[in-house]
């Protein structure tokens, strides 16, 4: 019996994930927060790829374009020298504004904000 060596060529295409986008070794998650939470702080809960529930406190004011980085919660970095190392999880925020405010709510906002 004689064995032949052959090469197989193929193309792998990553299927989009409904929750995460991959950028290198980092995972990017887009999250919507209400305006009140963006101004006063909140905790974002994210279901990770390995089945954990990650509670991420956000204690700063979330401005448009703000990204929070959670170290070592991204993809595993391959290679013997990188054993156990992971990329980061980056959380990008969309701020959800209310559709309308009553006159009383508008006055309260004016009084509360500089």
């Amino acid at each position: 019996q004689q064995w032949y060596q052959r090469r197989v060529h193929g193309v792998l295409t990553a299927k989009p994930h409904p929750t995460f986008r991959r950028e290198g070794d980092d995972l990017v998650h887009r999250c919507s927060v209400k305006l009140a939470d963006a101004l006063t702080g909140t905790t974002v809960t994210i279901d990770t790829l390995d089945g954990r529930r990650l509670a991420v406190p956000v204690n700063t004011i979330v401005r448009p374009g703000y990204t929070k980085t959670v170290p070592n919660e991204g993809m595993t970095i391959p290679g013997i020298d990188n054993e156990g190392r992971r990329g980061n999880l980056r959380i990008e925020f969309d701020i959800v504004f209310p559709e309308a405010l009553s006159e009383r709510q508008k006055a309260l906002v004016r009084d509360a904000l500089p």
Side-chain angles (χ1 to χ4, degrees):
Q1 211 174 27
Q2 189 174 9
W3 294 95
Y4 294 96
Q5 202 174 31
R6 301 272 187 225
R7 291 186 181 174
V8 176
H9 296 275
V11 176
L12 295 177
T13 304
K15 187 176 178 182
H17 191 274
T19 308
F20 298 101
R21 180 177 82 243
R22 185 172 180 173
E23 291 185 4
D25 296 320
D26 291 350
L27 289 176
V28 181
H29 175 75
R30 195 146 197 97
C31 179
S32 295
V33 293
K34 295 184 292 185
L35 178 60
D37 291 337
L39 293 172
T40 61
T42 189
T43 297
V44 176
T45 303
I46 300 171
D47 293 325
T48 63
L49 293 177
D50 58 4
R52 293 176 297 126
R53 262 208 140 144
L54 193 63
V56 181
V58 181
N59 300 318
T60 59
I61 292 177
V62 176
R63 293 175 173 83
Y66 175 74
T67 299
K68 175 147 181 108
T69 300
V70 183
N72 301 313
E73 288 293 343
M75 297 299 292
T76 301
I77 299 173
I80 271 184
D81 295 337
N82 295 324
E83 190 170 325
R85 288 190 51 220
R86 298 171 70 117
N88 298 321
L89 169 62
R90 297 194 327 252
I91 306 169
E92 297 176 344
F93 292 89
D94 291 320
I95 302 167
V96 180
F97 284 77
E99 292 293 320
L101 293 174
S102 68
E103 290 304 319
R104 181 176 178 277
Q105 289 171 318
K106 290 177 186 177
L108 289 170
V109 170
R110 281 190 195 100
D111 290 343
L113 297 177

